[in-house]
Structures are given as C-alpha cells and as structure tokens.
Amino acid sequence: MGDLLKDFNIDSFREGNRFEAKLAKGGFPKSLWETYSSFANTDGGLILLGVKENRDHTFTIEGVENPERMEKLFWDNVNNKNVVNINILGNNNVEIKDINGKKVFWITVPRADRIYRPVFKGTDMFTGTFRRNGEGDYLCSREEVGSLYRDAGHISQDCKIVKEVDLGSLSKETITHYRQRFRLSHDGHVWNYLPDIEFLKKIGAARINQDDGMVYPTAAGLLMFGYESEIVYEYPLYFLDYQEHFDETTRWSDRFVSSSGEWSGNVFDFFFKTVNKLSEDISGGTSDPRNATILKMFSMIDIGERAGSGIPGVFSVWEKEFGLKPEYTQKISLERTITVLKLAEIAQRTSDNCPENVEIAQRNSENCPENDLILPPNCPEIAQRTYLAIATNPYATIEELSEKMDVSPRTVKYHIALLRDKFIKRIGSDTKGYWEIIEENHQQGEII
C-alpha cells in the first residue's frame, strides 16, 4: 500500500457519481453527511477529506489537521442517531492515508443493502434522504423516500390485501392455466381438488379480510392473475413491455405490451408469452426477492428456485452462447431496472461462421435451375434459406416453409418481411397467391 500511495496521482480523479472531495478545514463540512447519505442510497462512493477542488475541476492535496482526533470524532458522529440514522461502515472503510507527506481522510461508503435504506442525515427521513446525481447530492422527494422505505421491508409487499378489487378482477383463464401446471408438478396433491377460491388462498393469491370477513385478492394475486385494467387501478405505473429488435433500422420486429387489451396483461401470462420467445436453456448470487409471494407461486409450478442463480445464469449463458454481454441498467429516479439481451448481431455472425450456407445455396440452386442468383453475402443465413425455399416452391405456405427449414413459423415470417419487396414479392392474396423473385434487385446488388 505504501508504494501505491507513493505514486498516487490526484490528477487522475474527477468528481462524479462515485467520488467527492472536500477540503475539511476546521473540521467536518456540513455536506459530509449529505454525501454519505447519497452514496449509501445510490451506488456507493469515495469521499476524500483534505483535498481541495480547484476552479478548473482539478484537485490539490491540502491534508487535514489533527487526523487522529478527527477520526475519533467521525466515529462518534456516524454512530450518533441524531447525525445519521445508521452506520453502514466498518473499520476498513475509514482510513488516514499519507499522500505526498500530507494526511488525507479516506472514507469508502458502500451501497447500503436495501433493508437499511433509506440512509438519511438527522432524524427525519423526508428532509435528510439524499441520492447522487452526476457530481452532486440531491434531496429525495417524498415519493422516492417512500419507495426506498417500502423496498426495505422484511415482509413481502405483495402479500397485502387489495380491498379495492374483488376476485372477479382475476382472469379465470389464467387461473386455469396455472392450476393445470400445478397439477403436472404435483400429481395427486390435495389442493388439486379445491375450488378456485380455496386454492387461491392456499397459494397466497387471496386472503380473508378480518374487518369484513370477505375474501380479496392479495397484491401478488392481482399482479399474477388479474386483468391489466384492474391492475393499473391499484398500480398506475404498471406496464409490461417485450420487444425484439433484430436491426437498428426498425423500431422492433416483434412486440407485445400489457396494455394492448388483446390478452390479460398479467405477470403470469406475460412470463409465458416471453419465455416461449427465448431459449429455455438459460439457467450465483444471493436470492433477495422483493415480491416473495409471486416467487413462491412460480416455484410451486417448478419455475424459479430461490438459489440466486437466475440473473448471473442469464448473463453467463447469454455471453457464452451469443458472445454478447447483456446490458443491465438501473434508473434511480424512476426505480426501474432494464435488462437488454442483444440479438441483432447473431444472425450475421451465424452466416459468417456457417460454411454450410454455401452448400445449401448450391444444393437448392441445382434443384431449381431457374434460380442461379444468391443474395448479398451480408444477408442472414436464415434469410438465404427462406429465399431459396421460396424459389424452389413459390406456392409454399408459412407452415410448409417452417417444416422444410426446421424453424418456427414466427422466424419464417420475420425473414419473409426482410425479403419482401426487395428480393421477393407477393402475387395475389396471402391464402391463394404465390411468391415471385425480383431478379433486378440482385443485379443492382441491394443489401437487406
């Protein structure tokens, strides 16, 4: 450590989302505890005391006076409930370091576990909770503080009774689907013979309200089985959105949202609509579910294992199989977590690394003399196969092409959309027409 600090270069630091420098002449600055709060409630960060920030945003090491007394005073303050509500630091988080012959107070603030948030200065969470935004600390709104407080609860928030809706707000079709999967996982289980209401009570989707003796959905039951129109009445910001982006030139190639009105819009149906479009082979970490009742419902039908391997497994398998790292971002102001699984480059890479593509083209060309043209080399391999299959049989249906190519009908439709009006065109109706090759576009060397 001594050699490291000997070569320490303060010029390499820039104040930002996870770094703050304070001069601390004459003692601790009042803003210290605001920064402590903001780092703890955001992504953690480093606070250096005894470092001056210059007008050009560079830094000068000034050092602190009487560092040993300052350290004792710091620990007294951080453990004082009137200064901050909780101490999340250990001995290794606070150090006095000798840099260029001057003493610098070095405080490494970790991100607080959710059960300890919000971390706030003083005794009022609504006036003392801060978060980090760029280079500054900002006071959280009451809504943000409330969100942090709710998220910290040991009791799962999804087990509460929702008295504003009744059991008629739940989709019978979704409940039937769930119970069918439950029977497959628990053949002969006594719950299989219960009426729907009793079954929902057993799995935590409904509870008896002690005030009036009526049975109401729980938050988990409403989210899992409810209709979207009823869900947004209780949770106005509820919105589920699945999008597939195969290239940057189109907004999306496939999309469904919870608010379309074409399906229930609940979590259970969204899960199965989504999982059918993704590889089922994606299989640690620490499991810390925010909605434990919903997780329990999924685990009852053998989905989810509470082993903490879910997200790490997705990231690991996706990168291994496709060579692309998923993008994972958190939007603190809106309390949103966004995960993007990139697919855009997969088809192109498959084509580049798939020499049998040439063999397929040659073989289909031999079987179809009228087609001696090959698509541009940057076309996806499946698009090439789709084109050759259509050239061989212009009257083939989506189902026939799907069976011939051993891919899903959805995949066939997508690649037909890529080819349509560029290399193929439809003559007649979708049911009674046929495909015709647009040969002039090959001569012009157009690329999909």
Side-chain angles (χ1 to χ4, degrees), residues 267-292:
V267 169
F268 183 80
D269 289 341
F270 180 80
F271 174 84
F272 281 99
K273 286 174 71 69
T274 302
V275 79
N276 289 335
K277 294 178 178 293
L278 299 174
S279 169
E280 295 184 356
D281 294 329
I282 295 179
S283 40
T286 301
S287 179
D288 182 20
R290 296 328 194 244
N291 297 288

Side-chain angles (χ1 to χ4, degrees), residues 5 42 48 89 166 204 215 239 263 356 361 376 381 411 413 422:
L5 294 178
T42 313
L48 295 186
L89 305 179
D166 57 26
V215 178
F239 182 68
W263 57 289
E356 60 267 26
E381 181 257 348
T411 299
K413 290 180 181 179
K422 298 176 183 177

Side-chain angles (χ1 to χ4, degrees), residues 54 76 120 133 169 201 207 269 341 345 382 401 403:
N54 304 310
D76 289 342
F120 54 91
N133 185 6
S169 303
K201 288 163 59 178
R207 287 174 57 193
D269 289 341
L341 305 176
E345 301 172 27
I382 296 181
L401 292 171
E403 183 176 355

Side-chain angles (χ1 to χ4, degrees), residues 410-424:
R410 182 177 65 87
T411 299
V412 173
K413 290 180 181 179
Y414 168 71
H415 287 90
I416 284 179
L418 287 181
L419 298 168
R420 193 165 190 164
D421 298 327
K422 298 176 183 177
F423 298 97
I424 59 175

Side-chain angles (χ1 to χ4, degrees), residues 24 26-30 32-33 49 70-71 73-74 77 105 107:
F28 294 116
K30 294 181 179 179
L32 170 64
W33 304 113
L49 302 182
M70 196 172 187
E71 182 177 19
L73 183 60
F74 176 83
N77 282 327
F105 209 76
I107 307 170

